[in-house]
Structures are given as C-alpha cells and as structure tokens.
Amino acid sequence: MALKKILNINYFLNKKNSFLLVLTNSFLIVMLLLTILSCNKNPVEPKEEPPAPGSRDYVWRQDTLYTLNNTLYSIWGSAPDDVWLGGKGGITDFDRLWHFNGIEWKPYHKKIGVFPNCIFGFDRNNVWIGGNDGNIMRFNGTDWLPEFTYRPQGAIITNIVDINGSSPTNLYAIGVSFFDESEDQRSFLLHYNGEKWSKVFITNFKTQFSRFHIENNWLYKSSVVMDLMGTDIYELYLFRNMKLTKIHSISADQTNNISVTKIN
C-alpha cells in the first residue's frame, strides 16, 4: 500500500514537472519572439533623415521666340519635353500659345480663341488655360477644347487670372469682372470637382484678385483694390470655410514698388 502511494506521488510529481517544463519553455519562446519584434520596432530608434537636396548647378539655356508685339507671361510643363507658354498674342492668332517638345518651341497650330492668362496642369494629357471673356480651356493630349465660361450678369469684361489645384478633382480658378460704366469690379472664385465647374463666391466689394496658392485646403489670395483717393492697396486674403479674411494690407504710397506674381 505504501509503495502504491509512493508511485502515485512520483507520477504526480513527474506530471507536474513536465507541465512546468513545457510552460517554462513556452514562456521562454514567447519572450524571445517579443524581444526580436521589439528590436525590429524600437520606439526610441531615430527616424531616417530625408536625403539631402541635390546640387543646384543647373545649366540654363536661352531660347529666343520670334513673335512680334507679343508678351508671354504664363508657363507650365509636365516634363522637359512638354512645356506650354502663353500670353496676349502678337499680330497673328497663332502666337498666343507655344509648346516646347524638348528640342524647339513651336506655336500651337490651331486658333484657341482666348488669351492664355494662366496655365496649369497635372500631366501632359490634362492641362488647363484660364483666359479672357471668362473662358477656361482644357488640353486632353490632342486638342485644346472649351470647358467653361463664367460671365456674371451685367459684367462687360471678365478675366480668369490664375488657375491652380491639388488634384484633377480639386481645381480652382480666380478672376475679376468689370461692370457697366461705373468702373465697379468684383473678384470671384471658381471650383472644378472633376466633372464640372461652379462658382464658389464673388466679392461684394471692389477688388481684383491676382494670384492664389492652395495649402491644406486653405486658399491664399493676393488682391489689388483702389481706394477713394485713387491709391492702390495691396492685400493678402485667406479663404477658409467659405469665409474670406484679410490677413495683410499695404498701400502703394507706403512703398516704392510692389508686385505679387507668385504665392507659395
């Protein structure tokens, strides 16, 4: 009887020791895996720094375009062999818009019907022009086609002066309209959602938007307004949540010269 009890106790101890041995081995394996994973994802490990910018020793080449009485002031390109250049045009209807193919500049071979005040695009098959008479055109890789015309009621002159966007479904254009003989002027903002253009808003005060920049869905706009004394006032606005807020203003008589040509 005593021997049976001893055997039973030994059997129990053996089972317990086996259980402890298996449990211990499993615990060690889990700890080893956690250690390996933690080494691979060390929260205090310093982040990799972005690569340093390359050299800026570019070689500039001067090109000369022979076009009489012309001013070209808007340029955009998708690649070194795909650059568009536009302006008010000269003595013909074929020198308002030029294209560079990587080797030479050539005037666009068709009449486009607008003055390319501004050019912007996303790739060589999706390029936009904002022009006079409130016209917006789009290049689809083959032809320039009219896309939209904005003319507020009572406006005698409407110009699209800048166009920009963060994606093909989030494109903006700004411009200015002049009304009747009152010399009144209003600036406006248009938006393209990938399918159609629509008016976002038009100012209820006299001003001329000139340039704008998009940053995290905030729109920064430069503007010129003439006060009652005939002095130009240069202003910078922030447009956010359908609200236009003036963030800076300076009068022309406070400086010798000022001109905003780019916001970034």
Side-chain angles (χ1 to χ4, degrees):
M1 185 68 177
L3 179 60
K4 185 177 181 180
K5 289 183 178 180
I6 293 173
L7 291 175
N8 288 337
I9 292 173
N10 287 336
Y11 175 73
F12 175 76
L13 290 175
N14 288 336
K15 286 183 65 178
K16 185 176 181 181
N17 290 337
S18 298
F19 174 76
L20 291 174
L21 179 61
V22 173
L23 183 61
T24 302
N25 289 339
S26 300
F27 178 75
L28 291 175
I29 292 173
V30 171
M31 290 300 296
L32 179 60
L33 289 174
L34 289 176
T35 303
I36 294 174
L37 291 175
S38 63
C39 290
N40 291 336
K41 297 181 179 180
N42 189 350
V44 298
E45 184 178 347
K47 296 181 179 179
E48 293 185 5
E49 294 293 332
S55 61
R56 295 295 184 265
D57 52 346
Y58 304 124
V59 177
W60 289 91
R61 188 185 75 183
Q62 177 177 314
D63 292 338
T64 301
L65 306 183
Y66 294 97
T67 169
L68 296 177
N69 300 324
N70 199 354
T71 301
L72 301 168
Y73 39 70
S74 183
I75 189 169
W76 181 89
S78 66
D81 62 346
D82 179 45
V83 184
W84 292 95
L85 176 65
K88 70 178 184 61
I91 61 176
T92 74
D93 292 329
F94 297 95
D95 54 4
R96 298 174 182 173
L97 185 63
W98 294 70
H99 184 260
F100 182 68
N101 60 10
I103 300 176
E104 61 180 340
W105 290 94
K106 291 183 177 181
Y108 185 61
H109 61 281
K110 295 181 181 179
K111 295 181 181 180
I112 59 173
V114 302
F115 300 141
N117 295 328
C118 48
I119 305 175
F120 180 80
F122 299 98
D123 56 60
R124 64 178 66 239
N125 300 320
N126 191 5
V127 190
W128 296 86
I129 278 178
N132 61 314
D133 292 333
N135 291 311
I136 295 178
M137 302 189 69
R138 182 181 185 180
F139 185 70
N140 59 14
T142 304
D143 296 309
W144 283 97
L145 301 174
E147 281 281 333
F148 182 72
T149 299
Y150 177 69
R151 294 194 185 102
Q153 184 176 1
I156 58 176
I157 299 175
T158 296
N159 287 320
I160 308 294
V161 298
D162 199 10
I163 189 168
N164 205 325
S166 60
S167 73
T169 59
N170 187 40
L171 186 64
Y172 289 91
I174 61 173
V176 57
S177 292
F178 298 85
F179 294 84
D180 304 327
E181 298 177 356
S182 61
E183 298 185 357
D184 194 10
Q185 56 200 22
R186 297 285 186 265
S187 290
F188 55 84
L189 173 67
L190 308 175
H191 181 256
Y192 180 73
N193 62 4
E195 296 181 357
K196 65 179 182 178
W197 284 92
S198 59
K199 182 190 73 174
V200 179
F201 84 101
I202 185 169
T203 61
N204 57 3
F205 57 93
K206 186 177 181 179
T207 186
Q208 293 185 46
F209 289 158
S210 56
R211 292 291 180 267
F212 78 100
H213 171 69
I214 301 175
E215 185 75 24
N216 297 326
N217 290 325
W218 294 14
L219 271 68
Y220 295 88
K221 303 183 184 71
S222 61
S223 176
V224 180
V225 60
M226 184 178 292
D227 65 13
L228 297 177
M229 300 300 294
T231 302
D232 286 340
I233 301 175
Y234 299 89
E235 299 173 335
L236 183 63
Y237 287 90
L238 169 64
F239 182 76
R240 185 188 181 198
N241 298 329
M242 297 300 297
K243 183 179 180 181
L244 190 66
T245 304
K246 182 165 58 178
I247 57 179
H248 185 69
S249 177
I250 184 172
S251 175
D253 58 10
Q254 295 178 272
T255 180
N256 293 329
N257 185 28
I258 184 171
S259 178
V260 178
T261 58
K262 188 71 175 177
I263 302 177
N264 208 335

